[in-house]
Amino acid sequence: MLHALYEFWTSAAGGTPLEWVAVLTGFACVWLAARESLWNFPVAIFSCGLYAVVYFRTQLYSDSLLQGFFILMSLYGWYEWLYGGARQTALVVSRTRPWEWAAVGLGVAAFTLGFGYYLQHNTDAALPHWDSFTTAGSMAAQYLLTRKRLENWLLWIVVDLLYVPILWYKQLYPTSGLYAVYLVLAAYGYIEWRRTARLAAPTANSVSA
């Protein structure tokens, strides 16, 4: 009886503490990003290092590699948020440029088709094309986040909607639940950043005048 209860708990809550620590730090870094806190970057670096291991163990190789990209982009974003504005001032929330949307769209499509094909024919990856698409979408959203583009949260919403069933299918139940929470945080981040952008607009106009 006790063994059956233990099996039920570990299947529902995750088998190792590693995933739970990754879940908690992952939640923290997204919440901090929504609040425009620079602390989101060091927390993200730590969380991504843990998730690189978690995803690799469950044959989500594209998502495992993605964590390395996130770590590099977190270092870049940390610098950009501090000095990426005009005359090396702090970066402010802005809208995504048309050329950035074009680059994001082409990049996501190319990566999904190319890397998905590679995973399908050269590895034992689970869901190779879905894995590649969520990876590409996450990379695009993370780039926009480092540049403080408001619409990064809209991309995160799309990606999170796909991650929830994919991670549940791979029996990463705590992480699947985390991505459901990410949906709420992404909506919250979009609302907060849009409010910040609207408040900053009159100041920018008065300075230019």
Side-chain angles (χ1 to χ4, degrees), residues 139-209:
M139 292 168 67
Q142 185 66 21
Y143 166 74
L144 295 180
L145 174 68
T146 63
R147 296 299 302 153
K148 270 200 177 181
R149 304 301 193 209
L150 172 64
E151 293 79 10
N152 87 88
W153 296 111
L154 300 179
L155 285 184
W156 282 124
I157 288 172
V158 173
V159 170
D160 295 342
L161 281 169
L162 293 173
Y163 265 127
V164 171
I166 289 173
L167 294 168
W168 188 271
Y169 170 75
K170 293 303 297 178
Q171 298 182 340
L172 295 174
Y173 303 121
T175 303
S176 178
L178 175 65
Y179 273 84
V181 175
Y182 280 171
L183 279 171
V184 178
L185 288 177
Y188 170 72
Y190 181 77
I191 292 170
E192 283 294 301
W193 282 33
R194 185 174 62 177
R195 181 180 62 84
T196 300
R198 286 176 175 174
L199 290 174
T203 301
N205 291 335
S206 63
V207 170
S208 63

Side-chain angles (χ1 to χ4, degrees), residues 96-110 140 144:
T96 304
R97 309 303 195 250
W99 70 265
E100 288 175 320
W101 279 124
V104 162
L106 291 173
V108 168
L144 295 180

Side-chain angles (χ1 to χ4, degrees), residues 31-108:
W31 183 80
L32 289 167
R35 299 293 299 169
E36 289 189 74
S37 171
L38 276 172
W39 281 101
N40 88 87
F41 293 114
V43 175
I45 290 169
F46 179 72
S47 182
C48 289
L50 298 180
Y51 266 123
V53 178
V54 171
Y55 287 137
F56 185 83
R57 288 177 176 176
T58 54
Q59 299 171 302
L60 292 171
Y61 302 129
S62 185
D63 281 310
S64 181
L65 291 173
L66 175 63
Q67 306 312 305
F69 172 83
F70 278 164
I71 290 172
L72 293 176
M73 290 300 290
S74 292
L75 293 170
Y76 170 72
W78 200 343
Y79 176 85
E80 282 296 302
W81 279 32
L82 282 171
Y83 307 112
R87 298 174 184 174
Q88 292 193 318
T89 57
L91 204 61
V92 297
V93 177
S94 59
R95 305 302 294 260
T96 304
R97 309 303 195 250
W99 70 265
E100 288 175 320
W101 279 124
V104 162
L106 291 173
V108 168

